[in-house]
């Protein structure tokens, strides 16, 4: 249940990856939470709106990142590469980028961080497995490996410096499920927004890993260790069930995209044959 | 949320035990899922309706079972003995029957199997215990032992041949709870039907064990390992609460039918004194 | 779903602590469950109403307690000290009191006991931890230690004599949450009453530990091991969310009242500096 | 540490399968434990020695089994088929046989039972998995399924009648390891004998499942739940390490006999292609 | 492996219960660890030896206990009642006594505490169960309940004040096993001494619960969570195996002294019938 | 128990980090396992000995690494930075280096990989915690984070390509413990060598994580999930106990180097204040 705070709770929030798929969606939705929203990306983000600051920034540039974070109360880190790519590219954007960001976060005493992790951090679990946040990661791609890295790095910053982060292993955050797999991983924009709100304003989050999903009928993930966040999904993929009629056209027994949770990522990557 | 598929998803489903208590209920309810429903039992099943095939068959007859399964896409195995009985009878119907059935299923490349297991596979757990599918079975009867056997056999066929089975440990599937115990184990016909639908059409089920129950206020079973099925109960025994007013007439301390989950089965059996 | 029993199920219920905060609330609410409600406290409880018996009693007085319990079918033990206090006082009221009470309960063959335990039995877990009833206690105060004692004592009486007790680790049972912490621990009077009803009338409870809370958005406790009770919360702290607007005024990193579940109890106690 | 009891502790022990591989080994070794050793098998067992009784008996013959068990204090059940075979044969010897045997055991108040189960009850776990007795069975063969059946049946007889059984999931009990796999599963005759002794004479065993193995350097099984038996292995496969020099001739990636614990049984069976 | 430190590591150790069974054994054995050993009991302890201080003290006397602990570096708390007794007596000696002691320990900045807990804190587990320190306590007596209390109290003092305690759930510390049960619970004096030494000198122990036992063939307890202590048993009950020859004279099925770990305590107590 | 194979089992083993502390120790010890040992480092490694190949190589140079791995059967990866360092340096050597190495390993069909991970991957667990390989990593440094990265990367290569790796979280592999902490983490050179041998020659290792330690009296790690390797330590830090006499000079309560397993790494790093 969102409420209208008497004044905006944060002075300045930084949203990285503001030009990306989810960044564009969130740009408007996070405005109620801060007097100023600072937006960052490596590509053009258009003109700043009211109470917006636009900062073009390559996260691999340490000095630039240090400047980017100055004056910021909270960081929503949605930047970096969000699909499979050659490791060298992933490393610059998602590994060096995260390292630079957390160093800046710690130096500037940022109060709260949300790290957009991914279900691809655990994509090699089976679609018949039930995961919770205590189980070891099993990345399905270079991209997924970089998300595991971000989770490890943020854990370190919490253990050593007390920087509080919520890592959201985002499922499939799109207007609607594009295939049957997404019936299990669907994460509506409204639910994503609510999970961000809960993660930003819970008094204590420590270092929390949570799976980003709506209240779907079929799920693979159990969020029991993140119930302190107070997140309750309001949407469900059930409304889209009609798009995927019951069928006996089952996938082949050796079809890795349905055996494993990672889906098409099981086929991606420069190294796969 | 059921949906009307544009055409019936399966060409032919086999329902064993079609003359039994649940078999008669399901005979109509499964029609939307297959162009042809093949019905089987050892006793008379009446005349075939539209799109029905009637095959009288003793599951202990290997050759007959092999013929029974030919041309079948999916099997709903509700056949065999469903109450306590002398072991020799149980063995023919529920042990040899299951062995014959799975051999035929594998030979005919059946796509999906549902095995009607029972709460009596775990009837020696206490009514104050909370079970999940990872815990060892504790059968309460020869009948319950035969259901454990079916679960073990189906696991083997999945591990060795990739035959996918959902084992449903059915609670109490009746029009309404007949006693206080069934307030915990109630499984409405609609919920049973929905669980069958989910089990038949999930893209992957591997070898799944699930407890068959409605969304009752008091439950003994936790279905967390079967959430990939997408089953959501729509009914609850709560509507029948008025049948069993609050009372302090508690059972005796040594009353095994309320100490253990198996209820009256704790008193059944040719060997019990 | 409460139902109107044809007659009151118990002949006589004893409510200890009847003059306390929750005792006064429950005095009316428990009337439907017994023909006679016996009320007990060390302080004045006013005049007895219809079907009420008033017994002034110090629980540390063994003979008095033995008399108090005579003729009683069920005990709701809300008596004793309910805040932090010097150990000697806690010991008389909450330790000797509980020992006297259970000895009397066993001698008089009381059928069912509810022990008002407290979240302060586990107050040294973190607010980012998720607890269940199988985890070791971590008391946050002399008061919390006395509640652990009661849980241990009642477990003994179940193991040795079969006395059945439900220990309710009560969260924050007040008209509404008084601070942000209580958004997680809120336990409405209606939900408390329903949990008592479930605990009193379930056919078997053995020795059950359950966390007393409403269906709050943010929770720290998982009641999976008590689902046999049949309790379903009807209230939620969500309705009070507007009292605590989202804010970035987070507590200090070393603020123990928000690090640990026990809240202000972390600062209480005669010994704390 | 074996000790010489002043007199033989049992009056009569029954050893089934006395003509089998292990039966012949045990025939001499168990003599110190009983004044009379009754030997049973379907095939010839030679002449009875001193203090021996020879009873030719088909375990599938219920009346014969009832007679066989009369006057017996303890049963070591090593009878039945011990390799993969058609299910119908397995069913007669290992399923009906076990059912008949336990019915007789209960009727004749036998004090203690040892059931020779097998590692093939869990042969579909991987050789990189670590098992303990609380994990679900995963049989690798019809033979393995029949051993799961025996474990389930004996559990039932304990829960219902208090018949105490130790199920030993025997690894590879041979003079020495015949291949590299047996370096992990080796169970020397002396260690087998000691495990039998511990299982026969522990004051209480309830229903215990234990893995039968020596103190081998590489193991797949953890016997922590059976430490009450007091078994300590004295042998190790390490002495045979020289038979299997270190080599880089690793098995193929898809070689099921080394992926799974069951070894060659993964290739056995009338149904496998 | 004990070593001879160049000088005695502690200035003063307090041993409570110095006139008790174990106290008398330990009086000599702990001398190498402190320049002065202060001995305390409610009964006569004889004359002080070299480097000994004798302080007669009732632990229920708060002021006396405060004085007793002054100047002490480490406390070995073996005082109080060590058998079943009426609750009122247990309460004074073992509950108020422990509360007084810890208050004094905290006020005087004692560096390390060892609390002599007991296997009777978990005596209602079965002799076929395997326990570890994370499992809930199940006391078998008023005495056992008081030991649970001490564990809870010491946990509190660690969580709140950082007072480090090792709670040793002592098995059967006698010259040799007096019955078959003690073959599982035997704890030689040398092993007890070594466990004390490890507990006193490990750099960090936090709040550790450990089971006090030798390396017996049959055990019920798993000390995995206390391996940081560095304790390795050097003795075993195996040397006494000859005292208890193998026998088939098993206890009756309902003999609680062999069903449950607590042994004869299952029959003790003023309240038991 | 090592044995002398009739011929050297591998044709060519690659040892990276051959000029490092452990690399120099291993250079001689691994000779029995391969006809040719290829040595690699970024710094001078001296002259090649008999059956040695020397390849100077920067692991961050992808093409060079691809050439380095050509013709290799097994890789022992001890290269990279082995102390805390600025992230940018760690990233080149330990992150890009590992990515390059595994890409080459997969392309050249290397049969077996050993990755020298570190206890610093879990250095933020407490010294009173007991870890096993299923628990989440908690790195204590940039170095530790890079080791987590290597474990994640190697898991990916196993899940996707079947490349088998043993990750050894090395404790303190030195001639002898240099401080009290190393009494728990000590890993003798002989035991390290034996663990390497086991990891290289076990028929199947899948992706195994194992803690590298000797059989020390005090340990923090439980290797139960790696028992298939067949490793048995022959050494113990116990022989060095005399170096660290028992003392009551305990560390301060807030001394992080003894609270956490990582020891001095808790103080290291360019970012720590």
């Amino acid at each position: 249940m969102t409420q209208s705070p008497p004044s905006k709770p944060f002075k300045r929030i930084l949203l990285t990856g503001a030009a990306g798929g989810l960044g564009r969606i969130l740009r408007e939705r996070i405005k109620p939470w801060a007097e100023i929203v600072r937006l960052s990306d490596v590509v053009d983000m258009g003109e700043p709106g009211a109470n917006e600051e636009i900062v073009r920034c390559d996260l691999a540039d340490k000095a630039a990142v240090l400047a980017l974070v100055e004056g910021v109360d909270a960081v929503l880190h949605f930047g970096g590469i969000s699909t499979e790519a050659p490791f060298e590219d992933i490393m610059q954007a998602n590994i060096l980028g995260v390292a630079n960001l957390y160093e800046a976060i710690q130096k500037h005493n940022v109060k709260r961080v949300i790290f957009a992790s991914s279900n691809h951090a655990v994509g090699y679990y089976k679609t018949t497995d039930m995961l919770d946040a205590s189980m070891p990661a099993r990345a399905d791609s270079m991209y997924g490996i970089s998300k595991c890295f971000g989770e490890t790095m943020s854990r370190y910053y919490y253990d050593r410096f007390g920087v509080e982060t919520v890592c959201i292993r985002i499922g499939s955050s799109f207007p609607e499920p594009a295939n049957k797999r997404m019936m299990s991983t669907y994460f509506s924009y409204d639910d994503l927004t609510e999970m961000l709100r809960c993660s930003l304003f819970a008094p204590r989050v420590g270092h929390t890993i949570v799976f980003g999903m709506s209240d779907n009928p079929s799920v693979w993930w159990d969020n029991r260790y993140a119930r302190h966040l107070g997140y309750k999904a309001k949407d469900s993929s059930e409304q889209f069930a009609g798009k995927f009629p019951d069928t006996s056209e089952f996938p082949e027994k050796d079809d890795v995209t349905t055996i494993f949770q990672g889906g098409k990522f099981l086929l991606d990557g420069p190294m796969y044959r």
Side-chain angles (χ1 to χ4, degrees), chain A:
Chain A
M1 172 128 312
T2 61
Q3 59 270 14
S4 317
S7 69
K8 295 186 175 178
F10 283 109
K11 182 160 171 262
R12 184 180 283 106
I13 286 179
L14 167 65
L15 172 67
T16 68
L22 290 180
R24 287 190 311 258
I25 297 297
L26 294 174
R27 184 167 172 172
E28 286 308 307
R29 289 166 174 260
I30 67 178
K31 285 195 170 174
W33 302 333
E35 293 171 19
I36 299 169
V37 173
R38 184 175 290 173
L39 304 167
S40 160
D41 209 304
V42 283
V43 298
D44 183 61
M45 292 163 277
E47 292 302 303
N51 306 317
E52 284 186 346
E53 295 172 353
I54 298 277
V55 182
R56 195 102 164 233
C57 178
D58 181 351
L59 296 171
D61 179 341
K62 187 171 176 172
V65 171
L66 190 61
L68 176 68
V69 178
E70 187 166 12
V72 165
D73 295 311
V75 173
L76 309 187
H77 180 44
F78 282 73
I81 295 174
S82 62
T83 56
E84 186 56 330
F87 180 73
E88 290 78 1
D89 299 343
I90 296 271
M91 185 175 77
Q92 290 300 315
N94 293 17
I95 288 180
L96 183 55
V98 157
N100 287 337
L101 194 61
Y102 270 92
E103 186 170 344
I105 282 166
Q106 192 270 327
K107 284 187 174 157
H108 291 306
N109 291 306
V110 170
K111 292 178 171 181
R112 185 65 53 88
V113 187
I114 295 173
F115 172 61
S117 183
S118 167
N119 70 84
H120 297 290
V122 291
Y124 261 114
Y125 281 95
K126 293 190 175 173
T127 54
T128 50
D129 288 336
M130 173 54 52
L131 304 199
D132 63 47
S134 74
M135 296 164 72
R138 293 183 67 173
D140 61 16
S141 53
M142 294 297 119
Y143 168 69
I145 289 169
S146 76
K147 291 303 178 184
C148 296
F149 174 87
E151 293 182 5
T152 305
M153 179 64 81
S154 54
R155 176 85 228 181
Y156 167 84
Y157 271 89
Y158 176 63
D159 283 337
R160 181 158 289 207
F161 301 104
V163 173
E164 292 194 295
T165 296
V166 177
C167 299
I168 305 178
R169 290 177 178 169
I170 295 173
S172 301
S173 200
F174 295 104
E176 55 182 79
N179 53 45
K180 188 119 191 188
R181 173 180 177 273
M182 291 192 195
M183 290 297 290
S184 294
T185 58
Y186 177 65
F187 192 26
S188 78
Y189 293 147
D190 282 357
D191 283 342
L192 165 61
T193 306
E194 173 65 2
M195 190 179 275
L196 291 176
R197 192 191 65 79
C198 292
S199 301
L200 277 178
F201 298 112
R204 294 267 184 194
V205 298
H207 183 262
T208 296
I209 294 175
V210 63
F211 294 91
M213 59 180 166
S214 290
D215 181 26
N216 306 322
S218 160
V219 293
W220 306 327
W221 309 319
D222 181 338
N223 269 334
R224 71 189 301 269
Y225 294 116
R227 292 200 59 199
H228 54 274
L229 293 181
Y231 167 74
K232 287 205 170 182
K234 289 183 197 66
D235 293 315
S236 166
S237 64
E238 199 169 9
Q239 59 177 311
F240 305 106
K243 289 183 62 177
F244 307 99
D246 290 340
T247 175
S248 68
E249 298 301 314
F250 298 131
E252 293 299 310
K253 284 186 186 180
D254 59 357
D255 172 43
V256 292
T257 71
T258 52
I259 293 174
F260 297 107
Q261 295 190 358
K264 296 226 175 67
F265 272 65
L266 273 288
L267 302 178
D268 283 349
M271 290 174 302
Y272 194 75
R273 266 147 300 271

